[in-house]
Amino acid sequence: MFSTVRHFVASIFFFGVLSAGCQTFNLQPTAEMAFKTSVDQFLTDYWKVHPEKAAAFGLQAFEGQLVIFDTEQKKRNLAFIRKYRSVFGGYKDGKLTPSQRIDRDLILNDLSREEWLLNVFQPWAWQPAYYNIGRNIGSLLQSDRSSFEEKMAKVAMILDQAPAYYAQAKKNITGATKAHLEFGIQQNRGVLAFLKKTVVPQVRSSRLSNKPQLFKKIAAASDGIKGYISFLEKTGATLADGSSFRDFRIGPKLYEEKFEYEVQSRFSAKEIYKRALSDRKKTHKKMSLLANQLWPKYFPNTPKKVFGLKDIQKLIGEISKKHSKPAEFIQDIRQQIPDLARFVREKNLLYLDPSKPLKVRETPEYLRGFAGASVDAPGPFDPDRETFYNVSPLDGMTKSQQQSWLREYNHYTLQILNIHEAIPGHYTQLVYDNKNPSLIKTVFHNGALVEGWAVYAERLMIEAGYGRNTPELEFMYWKWFLRVVTNTILDYEIHNMNLSKAKGLSYMVDQAFQEQEEAEKKWKRAMLSQVQLTYYYTGFTEIYSFRESLKSEQKESFSLKRFNEKLLNFGSAPVKTIQALWNEPRDPSQKR
Ligand code: ZN
């Protein structure tokens, strides 16, 4: 059990030796080495405070641990923050390599973010879905580095802690919002279903000798979850009587703070919001030009010269009729993945590692209810685990919901979804990320870089002529891009400007041409999250404008492939820090 930790420390040390060996900087090597030692110590302690994160990153020694979030735990977290703020605050720029400066800044930013979460934002007190053992058990069971017997031993540890974990959850939840409460109930019902439909049958058909004990543990954990669900239901009923739910809008002060800690952009939230407003206008113009080209093909009997939003909507409705059948949705996605890889190679856009296949599967039940599709990739310590492309199946939907969903993810937009989620989007970025020797940049990855890259990947493919430049695909691409732009506008206006649901839905349906079903889902997600919906557009804007400025500087010598690979090789650091490091050719973090 201990060997993983040792292996991990050894690998950090190995990187340390590597970079110390190339004495390319005229820096005090002692300060450089001291910094490495501090990072090792920091991570060792960090995993102890955040064992669930450690397990999510593939550190097996931490699997099976649940954090019971009581006052003692909070004290431990705060002490950890104080200790390492003073350690890393003591490293001044002149003593560190550029890459180490970034690592130091990422660590300090995360410590401040953690402290802000603990003292100010306190999601554990008003977001009931914070408590969910399905995530831990699910990721454990899908790892293929240990035998089923070993995995079940750790699952048993989680099950043992579950009653205390959920008892503490009841104490911690003091003022949920209505949306978060319902989400917490939904997810934990998913956990119950997962235990019953997935874990129990696996145990039953196994050769484990302790089956009766395991069934007992599953029953006890399920009772704990049921108790939590009924507590949430009672809380909901009480709050509904007094209509005293917490407001899901976090307000300008918390919003600006959250944006700063999470996005770490060179733009402020307000600047990004203003850019999004202007991009919405520009995109409408582009779409009306393409509509002019497409209209005669779809409406030959009603000629038109001027195209407003209603006409664009009508055209989208017609083009969206080309879509998968409900039962073939996942199969269609599965078939598209190799085409995307072939195109990326043909056009020389970037290197794809053929040894890391992507597996398309139905989203496990305990993860459903948030996004329609997502990539679930292994962490840096478990690089051999499979990467899954989770797609929520349509069988839980009514006929009309299915039709609405399939029109939204039609023949054209489904391809853009796959570019975003898989190749060369999230999946490709994560494969590069896992090879990056800077663990700090991987562990404290920047969400805006991750989402921004996936949005940039869509533009990259369209610009390279993916889909043989069919105007339909380009037209639908702009519709898709409008969604990213609209996400930013929605998120900003919801939390800062009291945007109403009616107006929010109208932004999505009338101005971004989304289906009602998709818009309702997005509204739900927008109520549950804050700032996260701006990652996409912010990261994209930063990457794209950076690329364009390099292009105009370097003219003919600019290489798109080199740019893409170099950007990904930095790992998931904030774009502004990547820019700051771009011209440091001998930065040790760039050695592969
Ligand atoms: Zn994404």
Side-chain angles (χ1 to χ4, degrees):
M1 218 173 158
F2 205 60
S3 64
T4 324
V5 182
R6 278 173 192 245
H7 170 73
F8 149 67
V9 172
S11 65
I12 294 238
F13 184 65
F14 179 62
F15 293 134
V17 170
L18 253 187
S19 47
C22 37
Q23 294 283 338
T24 49
F25 291 89
N26 283 329
L27 298 168
Q28 300 93 322
T30 43
E32 244 188 277
M33 287 308 286
F35 184 81
K36 286 177 210 310
T37 310
S38 298
V39 168
D40 289 357
Q41 192 56 48
F42 167 79
L43 280 172
T44 305
D45 287 348
Y46 184 81
W47 300 133
K48 283 185 204 151
V49 182
H50 300 281
E52 293 171 15
K53 234 179 163 174
F57 274 102
L59 284 172
Q60 290 180 304
F62 294 92
E63 288 169 351
Q65 291 186 34
L66 269 186
V67 173
I68 298 187
F69 196 76
D70 53 14
T71 33
E72 282 309 303
Q73 180 67 29
K74 192 181 164 192
K75 270 189 208 154
R76 272 195 293 278
N77 289 9
L78 286 170
F80 170 82
I81 291 165
R82 268 195 302 276
K83 177 179 170 189
Y84 284 102
R85 179 178 286 146
S86 118
V87 170
F88 288 101
Y91 285 104
K92 302 296 171 218
D93 281 358
K95 303 209 167 194
L96 303 175
T97 69
S99 175
Q100 289 178 328
R101 290 207 304 259
I102 291 186
D103 286 358
R104 176 203 57 194
D105 292 348
L106 286 174
I107 290 171
L108 288 174
N109 178 72
D110 193 72
L111 293 173
S112 301
R113 189 189 64 87
E114 277 282 341
E115 188 180 45
W116 177 80
L117 286 174
L118 284 165
N119 290 333
V120 182
F121 200 61
Q122 309 190 323
W124 37 268
W126 56 279
Q127 298 186 7
Y130 188 88
Y131 309 95
N132 175 347
I133 60 164
R135 282 190 297 253
N136 311 57
I137 297 178
S139 60
L140 235 174
L141 286 179
Q142 74 193 19
S143 147
D144 54 10
R145 287 234 304 227
S146 36
S147 69
F148 183 68
E149 204 170 1
E150 287 165 334
K151 288 191 278 192
M152 278 315 295
K154 288 174 183 169
V155 170
M157 283 165 65
I158 296 176
L159 294 170
D160 280 339
Q161 300 163 83
Y165 172 86
Y166 280 105
Q168 186 64 43
K170 286 193 224 169
K171 285 186 201 154
N172 292 353
I173 295 293
T174 49
T177 81
K178 190 167 189 290
H180 286 93
L181 193 93
E182 285 164 1
F183 186 55
I185 293 172
Q186 184 199 350
Q187 285 232 319
N188 276 290
R189 281 195 186 133
V191 179
L192 280 178
F194 171 66
L195 288 175
K196 192 172 158 192
K197 290 187 211 158
T198 307
V199 182
V200 168
Q202 281 190 29
V203 173
R204 192 172 293 136
S205 61
S206 74
R207 291 182 183 181
L208 295 173
S209 56
N210 59 341
K211 285 186 200 178
Q213 289 97 313
L214 280 171
F215 288 136
K216 249 189 211 158
K217 287 177 201 285
I218 291 172
S222 300
D223 284 345
I225 298 168
K226 282 177 199 157
Y228 183 53
I229 293 173
S230 68
F231 159 79
L232 293 177
E233 285 167 344
K234 265 182 225 140
T235 308
T238 320
L239 288 175
D241 285 347
S243 58
S244 50
F245 277 110
R246 183 191 168 112
D247 190 355
F248 68 89
R249 303 169 198 276
I250 64 172
K253 186 180 171 288
L254 288 179
Y255 190 86
E256 201 59 60
E257 288 169 355
K258 200 163 192 269
F259 187 85
E260 198 164 321
Y261 288 129
E262 285 184 17
V263 184
Q264 301 177 70
S265 166
R266 64 180 192 272
F267 304 109
S268 72
K270 196 169 188 176
E271 280 170 327
I272 284 294
Y273 167 65
K274 284 188 173 158
R275 275 173 179 255
L277 287 179
S278 129
D279 257 335
R280 180 162 71 182
K281 258 195 203 136
K282 283 187 207 157
T283 307
H284 284 157
K285 268 194 197 133
K286 286 202 168 95
M287 291 187 83
S288 76
L289 287 175
L290 283 161
N292 188 32
Q293 200 183 331
L294 286 161
W295 189 269
K297 181 176 165 188
Y298 290 88
F299 301 102
N301 302 322
T302 45
K304 234 182 180 333
K305 282 199 175 119
V306 182
F307 296 90
L309 294 181
K310 285 260 180 317
D311 305 310
I312 292 176
Q313 179 100 54
K314 196 172 165 191
L315 189 55
I316 288 170
E318 208 51 31
I319 297 175
S320 303
K321 284 181 181 166
K322 191 170 171 186
H323 60 66
S324 302
K325 295 190 180 80
E328 290 163 13
F329 186 63
I330 293 181
Q331 189 50 34
D332 287 348
I333 289 178
R334 206 169 271 137
Q335 277 168 0
Q336 268 171 26
I337 305 298
D339 290 342
L340 294 173
R342 207 173 307 124
F343 184 84
V344 167
R345 289 199 180 96
E346 262 169 35
K347 296 286 169 174
N348 211 19
L349 297 179
L350 69 155
Y351 171 75
L352 294 176
D353 187 343
S355 69
K356 307 271 176 214
L358 179 66
K359 205 169 177 180
V360 181
R361 68 164 183 190
E362 292 191 356
T363 309
E365 265 180 89
Y366 62 92
L367 289 174
R368 287 184 199 169
F370 203 66
S374 62
V375 164
D376 182 357
F381 308 110
D382 192 13
D384 299 328
R385 205 205 77 193
E386 285 173 302
T387 303
F388 295 107
Y389 184 9
N390 290 331
V391 183
S392 292
L394 313 185
D395 32 340
M397 298 179 182
T398 65
K399 265 237 150 59
S400 80
Q401 282 173 332
Q402 281 184 349
Q403 286 307 310
S404 171
W405 182 261
L406 290 169
R407 279 196 303 272
E408 182 73 21
Y409 295 99
N410 56 63
H411 175 71
Y412 303 101
T413 46
L414 190 58
Q415 298 178 61
I416 301 164
L417 174 78
N418 291 334
I419 291 171
H420 177 104
E421 297 293 339
I423 297 171
H426 288 316
Y427 154 72
T428 302
Q429 196 263 333
L430 284 162
V431 173
Y432 273 81
D433 197 32
N434 275 347
K435 287 181 186 159
N436 196 295
S438 168
L439 273 172
I440 294 296
K441 293 184 194 69
T442 306
V443 174
F444 301 110
H445 73 267
N446 180 260
L449 182 282
V450 172
E451 287 304 343
W453 170 265
V455 174
Y456 166 75
E458 300 161 10
R459 182 70 63 91
L460 180 69
M461 293 289 270
I462 294 295
E463 285 179 346
Y466 178 75
R468 286 176 242 94
N469 292 317
T470 43
E472 279 92 344
L473 189 72
E474 199 187 331
F475 182 69
M476 295 305 264
Y477 163 74
W478 287 113
K479 171 195 180 298
W480 186 272
F481 182 65
L482 259 185
R483 171 151 70 179
V484 164
V485 171
T486 305
N487 281 348
T488 301
I489 298 172
L490 266 180
D491 194 64
Y492 190 86
E493 292 195 9
I494 281 177
H495 294 291
N496 294 283
M497 295 157 73
N498 214 21
L499 178 73
S500 69
K501 182 176 179 186
K503 206 168 166 197
L505 289 178
S506 158
Y507 281 176
M508 291 184 271
V509 174
D510 303 328
Q511 294 205 53
F513 320 112
Q514 293 175 17
E515 295 280 344
Q516 192 69 28
E517 179 70 20
E518 176 76 359
E520 293 274 355
K521 269 199 173 160
K522 182 54 64 64
W523 179 260
K524 182 182 163 196
R525 179 169 168 187
M527 285 195 296
L528 293 172
S529 69
Q530 320 80 22
V531 175
Q532 202 260 348
L533 282 173
T534 70
Y535 288 3
Y536 305 73
Y537 180 73
T538 308
F540 165 77
T541 303
E542 291 190 288
I543 295 170
Y544 199 79
S545 61
F546 178 40
R547 188 191 82 178
E548 293 307 288
S549 73
L550 284 179
K551 232 179 180 173
S552 64
E553 252 169 53
Q554 298 172 1
K555 303 204 166 59
E556 290 86 58
S557 65
F558 177 83
S559 154
L560 185 58
K561 183 171 190 277
R562 212 165 50 217
F563 171 83
N564 293 334
E565 290 172 355
K566 187 169 176 179
L567 189 91
L568 291 183
N569 278 338
F570 275 93
S572 308
V575 181
K576 72 170 175 186
T577 52
I578 293 178
Q579 267 178 278
L581 260 190
W582 195 260
N583 291 320
E584 295 282 352
R586 287 175 295 183
D587 188 291
S589 81
Q590 299 313 302
K591 294 236 176 290
R592 296 281 301 277

